[in-house]
Amino acid sequence: MRFLRGFGAAVVIVLCGTVTWSDTVRVETGGDFFTAGAVIDETLNTSGDAFASARTATVRGEAQGDLHVTGFDVTSNANTSEDLYAFGATVVVRGKTAEDLTAAGYSVRTEAASQTSGNARLFGNTVVIEGPVAGALTATGRDVVLNASVRGDARIVARSISFGPEAVIAGTLTYRSKEKINVPERVAAADRVIFEKATATDAWDEWDKMRKEMPVLPTLATMLFGFIVSLLFFVVLGAVMLGFMPRRLEKMRQSIARAPGQSMLLGVIGLSMLFGMVPIVGLTIVGLPFVPIVVLAIIVAWTLGYALGAYSVAMRVWVGFGNDAEPGNITRLLVFAGALIVVAMLNFIPFVGWVANYTLVLLGLGAMTNAVLQYLIGNPGEAFDIDMQPIEN
């Protein structure tokens, strides 16, 4: 859970870091430290977690919590009291990591000065391990070079595996390659070396193993259950809206029926404004902690817009077939549920389902945008022309 929380915050700082900034940005909130820019060389002294994102990112100093570094060229000289996560095209680790190290990139290297007290997980095209690992080592790449001591087990998957003079594995070495290699006795005794031949079907075997442990494709029963839950959610949402704001809901529905084209245009405008708020809020720097709130607002608006659009179209079809234009709430909910079922069936038709869903969202958001604009600028109502007649003496 700590990794997921940190990774989520790292995603935010990465997205904000993609904006072209001329200056380095630094923000502290809740004990966590965030920095982003084009090129950063930061000396850390944090009590919580630290996040750094840049095209070229170099960090030094001390991080009392987790350290997350992302960029094109990443260099970590900092000592980390907890976990270190480093991702980039080239990743170099020189500092000490008190717990686990996870690094991924095209070229990944831990230098002799680095020490990992927990487990090390390294992924890249070229992986060079020169820093000692107190726990277990997992290394995956095209070329893997081990030139450090590993106190725990080691698992290496690579096309080319080589060992330097400092390589020592105290636990069991499991390696997977196309051909069996000669593992020096000083690295690991023969009875602690396990060879697994790599084949062309390895990727499929790993996929099949994952599928059996945790099914990736949902079963029919799972899909049906998910649909029923979604249907109940939208029906309850419709009941709440009809119960608490029937007049406003009817007014928005009628605005869609009168001018569907205008509603779609306003929906595009409203949706653009919502998505545009994400980088705008991020650029204010102080608004970085509120970016998740804006994203949540987009999800809520999207859901409400979809429900309103489906309800409005369903009622228009209902009236179009000669039915009562002012039915009871139960009838309205049944019509709404029927529309949701039809739209769900359209999702099985490629492209058509996506267009139908997106159209409903735009219609609903357009009516909501229109209501907000009328509230902000006011609605003067009807204007009457008055003929001014001259006064006769």
Side-chain angles (χ1 to χ4, degrees), residues 75 77 92-95 109-115 128-132 148:
T75 303
N77 300 322
V92 179
V93 179
R94 298 192 181 102
R109 183 187 191 96
T110 65
E111 297 193 353
S114 70
Q115 295 180 11
V128 179
I129 306 106
E130 295 182 328

XYZ file of all heavy atoms in Angstrom, residues 75 77 92-95 109-115 128-132 148:
136
model
N 20.248 9.905 -11.823
C 21.378 9.565 -10.966
C 20.970 9.782 -9.520
O 20.554 10.882 -9.145
C 22.615 10.433 -11.277
O 22.966 10.279 -12.650
C 23.791 10.013 -10.409
N 22.421 9.769 -5.880
C 23.529 9.748 -4.923
C 23.025 9.837 -3.491
O 23.819 9.896 -2.556
C 24.484 10.919 -5.185
C 25.081 10.870 -6.581
O 25.390 9.804 -7.077
N 25.224 12.027 -7.210
N 21.555 5.393 -12.718
C 22.767 5.109 -11.962
C 22.463 5.318 -10.486
O 21.964 6.376 -10.092
C 23.942 6.016 -12.396
C 25.182 5.710 -11.560
C 24.240 5.827 -13.877
N 22.780 4.313 -9.658
C 22.530 4.392 -8.222
C 23.865 4.335 -7.504
O 24.643 3.386 -7.689
C 21.621 3.244 -7.747
C 21.399 3.323 -6.238
C 20.292 3.273 -8.495
N 24.126 5.366 -6.669
C 25.375 5.424 -5.906
C 25.125 5.496 -4.402
O 26.028 5.278 -3.614
C 26.204 6.649 -6.318
C 26.626 6.649 -7.781
C 27.676 7.725 -8.040
N 28.083 7.754 -9.431
C 27.666 8.643 -10.321
N 26.802 9.583 -9.947
N 28.096 8.604 -11.562
N 23.922 5.853 -3.989
C 23.635 6.009 -2.562
C 23.252 4.703 -1.900
O 23.108 3.650 -2.536
N 22.535 0.730 -13.596
C 23.827 0.432 -12.972
C 23.796 0.826 -11.508
O 23.389 1.935 -11.154
C 24.937 1.207 -13.692
C 26.354 0.918 -13.174
C 27.363 1.838 -13.825
N 28.727 1.412 -13.538
C 29.456 0.651 -14.340
N 28.950 0.232 -15.482
N 30.692 0.305 -14.006
N 24.214 -0.094 -10.653
C 24.449 0.235 -9.241
C 25.955 0.211 -9.024
O 26.602 -0.811 -9.259
C 23.766 -0.768 -8.305
O 24.359 -2.053 -8.463
C 22.278 -0.870 -8.591
N 26.519 1.323 -8.596
C 27.967 1.404 -8.425
C 28.400 0.849 -7.067
O 27.578 0.607 -6.193
C 28.425 2.844 -8.611
C 28.166 3.372 -10.013
C 28.888 4.670 -10.295
O 29.495 5.237 -9.357
O 28.845 5.125 -11.460
N 29.704 0.679 -6.909
C 30.248 0.033 -5.708
C 29.879 0.781 -4.439
O 29.749 0.177 -3.365
C 31.762 -0.103 -5.834
N 29.703 2.103 -4.528
C 29.375 2.895 -3.345
C 27.962 2.636 -2.847
O 27.645 2.897 -1.687
C 29.560 4.377 -3.636
N 27.113 2.128 -3.712
C 25.727 1.884 -3.315
C 25.629 0.595 -2.506
O 26.346 -0.374 -2.760
C 24.830 1.787 -4.545
O 25.098 0.603 -5.256
N 24.728 0.593 -1.546
C 24.474 -0.594 -0.734
C 22.977 -0.736 -0.558
O 22.296 0.227 -0.202
C 25.146 -0.485 0.635
C 26.664 -0.442 0.596
C 27.267 -0.326 1.988
O 26.570 -0.480 2.991
N 28.555 -0.057 2.058
N 24.056 -3.642 -14.779
C 25.359 -3.849 -14.142
C 25.179 -3.671 -12.644
O 24.741 -2.603 -12.190
C 26.419 -2.876 -14.683
C 27.757 -3.108 -13.980
C 26.576 -3.026 -16.195
N 25.509 -4.701 -11.860
C 25.370 -4.646 -10.404
C 26.758 -4.669 -9.782
O 27.446 -5.688 -9.811
C 24.541 -5.820 -9.858
C 23.191 -5.900 -10.576
C 24.326 -5.681 -8.360
C 23.085 -7.022 -11.559
N 27.172 -3.513 -9.223
C 28.451 -3.422 -8.529
C 28.271 -3.127 -7.052
O 29.210 -3.257 -6.274
C 29.336 -2.347 -9.162
C 29.750 -2.674 -10.595
C 30.675 -1.622 -11.181
O 30.532 -0.438 -10.800
O 31.526 -1.981 -12.006
N 27.051 -2.709 -6.661
C 26.777 -2.434 -5.254
C 26.282 -3.672 -4.543
O 25.455 -4.425 -5.075
N 26.767 -3.960 -3.326
C 26.361 -5.161 -2.587
C 24.881 -5.139 -2.229
O 24.294 -4.090 -1.980
C 27.244 -5.118 -1.337
C 27.646 -3.685 -1.197
C 27.732 -3.137 -2.576
N 29.291 -7.936 -7.519
C 29.044 -7.529 -6.129
C 28.583 -8.750 -5.350
O 28.236 -9.789 -5.917
C 27.990 -6.423 -6.082
